[in-house]
């Protein structure tokens, strides 16, 4: 779906005339299995999110015996990691659909073609029942995937489900928004991620931190739906401030996640924050890009120098396995090799 509508570099760019001559409809017909697979993944992931939230609500409840005996002294951050990955996956689908307008345009053409076939089904060797089934599937995809609002639908589910009495029924006494124990788990998780992941973004040791923060942002949106009364403006400001290190996060190919757009549209504050930094996101992005343009050559030259130095050291006698032959210097050699590996 990321590259939908693109042609081979050597192929001529289709004109509006030959695009409308059945090519758009054909492209969507070939993409229907992918749309079905995407819908199934999205639906299953939404159920997983619902299930994890309800189980956390059951476990992190002060009257529950599991909480008293175990979870009171244990932070189940792995479950929140999974929630963030699931929410991030669904929001990625939205970003792809919103960015690639050809998907929606071609889908409209294909749906119009299917409806025109109702006049003479036999001419196309199909029955009216088959057309109705296909039309029903198309409407389902149009209401979910192609509207670009899968993520909002997922985080807006009804999470206060009736709990299985065989597991525990105590947490059903109160809605999730009144569960202080689960709220504190979310707060500790966001604090940890901002300190351990957010601070590394933009540093020389950064690897996967930006994509991890993307998942944190989508989890934060879910948290805001679960606790609409707990706005926590200080947390919002900290998440907003991360854009000073990286205004956008490249997720896949040309699909990017904009921190200011997400914070303003998906998780806005009830009233404007006067102390947010940066104040003007668009102006800051322009300034950010200009500074990067000015320092790009120097940064690349510095990285190249550091890389060449590291490669030379790794290729030296200390970086080779043959240096371990001298047993009297094994400890020293291992220390040097470890430093080189860590610095690389």
């Amino acid at each position: 779906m990321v590259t939908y509508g693109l042609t081979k570099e050597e192929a001529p760019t289709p004109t509006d005339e030959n695009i409308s001559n059945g090519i758009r409809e054909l492209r969507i017909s070939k993409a229907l299995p992918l749309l079905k697979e995407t819908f199934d993944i999205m639906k299953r992931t939404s159920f997983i999110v619902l299930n994890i939230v309800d189980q956390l609500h059951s476990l992190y409840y002060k009257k529950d015996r599991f909480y008293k005996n175990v979870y009171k002294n244990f932070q189940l951050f792995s479950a929140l990691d999974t929630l963030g990955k699931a929410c991030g996956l669904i929001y990625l689908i939205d970003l792809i659909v919103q960015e690639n307008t050809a998907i929606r345009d071609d889908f409209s053409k294909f749906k119009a073609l299917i409806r025109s076939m109702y006049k003479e089904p036999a001419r196309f060797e199909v029955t009216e029942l088959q057309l109705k089934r296909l039309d029903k599937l198309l409407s389902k995809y149009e209401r979910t995937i192609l509207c670009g609002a899968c993520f909002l639908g997922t985080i807006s589910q009804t999470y206060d489900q009736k709990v299985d009495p065989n597991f525990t029924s105590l947490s059903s006494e109160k809605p999730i928004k009144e569960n202080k124990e689960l709220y504190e788990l979310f707060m500790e998780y966001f604090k940890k991620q901002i300190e351990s992941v957010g601070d590394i973004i933009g540093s020389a040791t950064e690897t996967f931190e930006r994509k991890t923060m993307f998942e944190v942002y989508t989890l934060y949106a879910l948290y805001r739906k679960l606790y609409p009364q707990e706005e926590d403006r200080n947390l919002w400001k900290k998440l907003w401030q991360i854009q000073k290190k990286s205004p956008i996060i490249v997720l896949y190919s040309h699909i990017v996640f904009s921190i200011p757009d997400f914070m303003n549209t998906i998780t806005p504050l009830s009233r404007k924050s006067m102390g947010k930094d940066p104040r003007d996101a668009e102006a800051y992005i322009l300034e950010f890009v200009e500074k990067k343009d000015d320092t790009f050559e120097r940064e690349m030259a510095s990285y190249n120098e550091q890389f060449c130095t590291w490669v030379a050291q790794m290729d030296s006698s200390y970086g080779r396995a043959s240096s371990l032959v001298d047993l009297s210097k094994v400890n020293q050699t291992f220390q040097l090799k470890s430093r080189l590996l860590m610095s690389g």
Side-chain angles (χ1 to χ4, degrees):
M1 291 179 69
V2 175
T3 58
Y4 177 89
L6 297 181
T7 57
K8 295 181 180 179
E9 292 181 358
E10 64 273 12
T13 304
T15 62
D16 292 339
E17 181 179 355
N18 60 31
I19 282 181
S20 61
N21 191 23
I23 294 180
R24 288 183 170 181
E25 292 84 346
L26 182 61
R27 290 194 307 208
I28 281 294
S29 67
K30 292 180 178 179
L32 285 179
L34 178 59
L35 288 175
K36 180 183 183 304
E37 183 179 356
T38 302
F39 177 83
D40 292 341
I41 291 174
M42 182 207 66
K43 186 176 181 180
R44 180 173 176 79
T45 305
S46 295
F47 285 146
I48 290 174
V49 170
L50 179 66
N51 184 269
I52 293 177
V53 169
D54 284 337
Q55 289 198 45
L56 285 174
H57 176 43
S58 300
L59 294 174
Y60 282 86
Y61 187 67
K62 62 182 179 181
K63 294 183 179 180
D64 185 81
R65 61 187 179 89
F66 288 106
Y67 177 76
K68 293 178 180 178
N69 297 332
V70 181
Y71 294 99
K72 183 178 181 180
N73 304 308
F74 179 72
Q75 295 173 323
L76 199 59
F77 286 164
S78 59
L80 297 184
D81 286 335
T82 302
L83 275 177
K85 292 181 186 298
C87 290
L89 174 63
I90 295 178
Y91 191 62
L92 178 60
I93 296 174
D94 286 343
L95 289 176
I96 293 172
V97 172
Q98 292 167 9
E99 190 276 339
N100 195 337
T101 57
I103 298 175
R104 299 193 299 275
D105 293 342
D106 292 1
F107 187 87
S108 298
K109 287 277 186 180
F110 182 78
K111 194 170 183 180
L113 173 65
I114 297 301
R115 288 178 176 173
S116 68
M117 292 171 63
Y118 277 100
K119 298 177 182 179
E120 298 180 84
R123 179 185 172 188
F124 300 95
E125 299 181 355
V126 294
T127 64
E128 186 173 344
L129 179 60
Q130 289 174 322
L131 288 176
K132 287 182 178 180
R133 289 176 177 173
L134 179 57
D135 202 9
K136 185 177 180 180
L137 281 176
L138 296 178
S139 298
K140 181 170 64 175
Y141 299 153
E142 190 174 31
R143 293 193 309 268
T144 53
I145 302 172
L146 297 173
C147 68
C150 298
F151 179 67
L152 286 176
T154 297
I155 64 176
S156 300
Q157 296 180 91
T158 303
Y159 289 94
D160 288 301
Q161 302 287 331
K162 187 175 181 59
V163 182
D164 184 353
N166 295 321
F167 182 66
T168 178
S169 59
L170 295 176
S171 62
S172 61
E173 297 175 4
K174 290 186 178 182
I176 293 177
K177 65 180 181 180
E178 296 181 15
N179 188 332
K180 294 183 178 180
E181 290 72 35
L182 181 57
Y183 167 77
E184 291 173 357
L185 178 69
F186 272 105
M187 289 297 99
E188 288 297 321
Y189 179 80
F190 290 133
K191 179 181 178 182
K192 169 184 171 292
Q193 292 295 70
I194 291 174
E195 291 178 352
S196 62
V197 179
D199 289 348
I200 299 177
I201 294 178
S203 67
T205 58
E206 179 187 348
T207 52
F208 53 83
E209 282 75 17
R210 298 191 194 211
K211 290 189 177 180
T212 300
M213 278 308 302
F214 163 69
E215 295 166 358
V216 172
Y217 279 106
T218 56
L219 178 63
Y220 172 71
L222 172 62
Y223 149 78
R224 287 286 299 276
K225 287 293 184 180
L226 296 176
Y227 293 92
Q229 78 285 5
E230 300 289 350
E231 203 166 71
D232 199 327
R233 300 173 69 85
N234 288 330
L235 174 59
W236 190 93
K237 290 178 184 178
K238 289 179 180 178
L239 291 171
W240 173 271
Q241 193 172 3
I242 290 178
Q243 69 178 286
K244 295 185 70 176
K245 298 181 178 181
S246 177
I248 64 170
I249 297 174
V250 178
L251 299 175
Y252 182 81
S253 183
H254 54 282
I255 305 301
V256 299
F257 170 74
S258 172
I259 294 177
D261 287 348
F262 183 85
M263 298 291 287
N264 284 326
T265 58
I266 306 298
T267 61
L269 295 173
S270 57
R271 53 187 176 84
K272 292 184 178 180
S273 173
M274 302 304 294
K276 64 180 182 180
D277 183 23
R279 293 287 300 275
D280 188 336
E282 292 185 5
Y284 177 77
I285 290 176
L286 290 175
E287 181 183 354
F288 183 88
V289 172
E290 289 177 357
K291 287 182 178 179
K292 284 296 181 182
D293 285 341
D294 294 338
T295 61
F296 181 76
E297 291 186 7
R298 293 196 300 272
E299 287 184 1
M300 291 300 102
S302 176
Y303 290 147
N304 180 66
E305 181 181 349
Q306 293 175 35
F307 175 73
C308 291
T309 303
W310 181 81
V311 168
Q313 290 175 330
M314 286 297 292
D315 197 43
S316 67
S317 59
Y318 285 114
R320 296 174 183 172
S322 58
S323 62
L324 300 177
V325 175
D326 188 352
L327 297 179
S328 63
K329 296 182 179 180
V330 167
N331 187 41
Q332 179 185 3
T333 302
F334 267 116
Q335 288 180 356
L336 290 171
K337 287 173 68 70
S338 299
R339 290 173 188 171
L340 288 173
L341 289 172
M342 292 297 293
S343 63

